[in-house]
Amino acid sequence: MFVATAKQFELEQVLKYRLDVERLRKQEFATAKQGFDHAHERLKREEAQTQSISQEFFIRQSELGSIEEIRRYADFFARKREEIKTHKKHVDHLGHILSERRATLLDATKDKKVLESLKEKKATEFKLEMDRKEQSFMDEIAVQKKDERA
């Protein structure tokens, strides 16, 4: 009986490299996502804190005794607006980085899938070729046995 051994995929090293690249891109994306999520949560906390203090100021406004207390609130709100503006820019920047990392991960995944598909196609072709050779071998044996009987 004809025994076929699996043929080594010629681009196996390239496929391994692409798997490594994809793994690295996944890690980079996860890190970017974590950074974005952390910054976004911090921004939401800052906004909630500012909103809470704004409501407190609105309630206490008539109770404030001096212009100095009102000025402190005004200075605080001005600082908070700038901090929130800075945090929003930072979150936007991290959002762009996250989008870039998502795109590079998608590209790496596509590159890997192309090679995996090619590997599967080559394996299928190899199996079909081996099946054809085995059938040819079996046909040859059958012809030889028929010739021996005649």
Side-chain angles (χ1 to χ4, degrees):
M1 185 147 200
F2 189 77
V3 179
T5 58
K7 183 179 174 186
Q8 176 69 26
F9 181 55
E10 298 90 6
L11 300 173
E12 190 67 35
Q13 288 299 95
V14 177
L15 178 58
K16 286 179 183 177
Y17 171 75
R18 296 243 172 114
L19 286 166
D20 290 342
V21 168
E22 182 190 35
R23 193 175 307 112
L24 177 64
R25 298 298 180 248
K26 281 181 182 179
Q27 290 172 345
E28 290 172 347
F29 175 76
T31 300
K33 175 104 173 84
Q34 186 179 23
F36 175 80
D37 290 345
H38 178 71
H40 189 261
E41 285 301 315
R42 182 176 175 200
L43 174 61
K44 292 300 174 196
R45 282 193 311 269
E46 291 287 330
E47 289 175 334
Q49 179 190 27
T50 302
Q51 180 65 29
S52 174
I53 293 171
S54 177
Q55 289 173 349
E56 176 188 329
F57 172 71
F58 182 74
I59 292 168
R60 293 190 59 218
Q61 193 172 9
S62 62
E63 300 171 6
L64 296 176
S66 71
I67 194 76
E68 186 58 38
E69 286 181 278
I70 294 173
R71 186 174 295 139
R72 274 188 262 156
Y73 270 103
D75 290 346
F76 172 78
F77 288 127
R79 268 194 329 274
K80 275 299 188 182
R81 274 193 301 276
E82 285 303 311
E83 285 177 16
I84 288 173
K85 185 177 172 182
T86 301
H87 285 310
K88 282 182 180 180
K89 285 181 183 177
H90 184 64
V91 168
D92 288 345
H93 175 70
L94 292 176
H96 290 299
I97 291 173
L98 184 61
S99 294
E100 289 171 4
R101 297 282 159 76
R102 182 179 287 117
T104 58
L105 172 58
L106 184 60
D107 289 344
T109 301
K110 285 178 184 177
D111 290 346
K112 177 200 68 160
K113 286 189 183 213
V114 165
L115 278 179
E116 285 177 337
S117 178
L118 181 61
K119 182 178 180 177
E120 287 177 23
K121 181 180 176 187
K122 292 291 184 182
T124 301
E125 287 174 1
F126 178 74
K127 183 178 179 339
L128 289 173
E129 179 66 19
M130 290 299 106
D131 290 348
R132 188 188 61 74
K133 285 182 180 181
E134 182 177 4
Q135 185 61 48
S136 176
F137 181 72
M138 297 304 265
D139 290 348
E140 183 65 31
I141 289 175
V143 167
Q144 286 176 1
K145 284 189 178 186
K146 185 177 180 185
D147 288 344
E148 288 175 6
R149 288 187 206 152

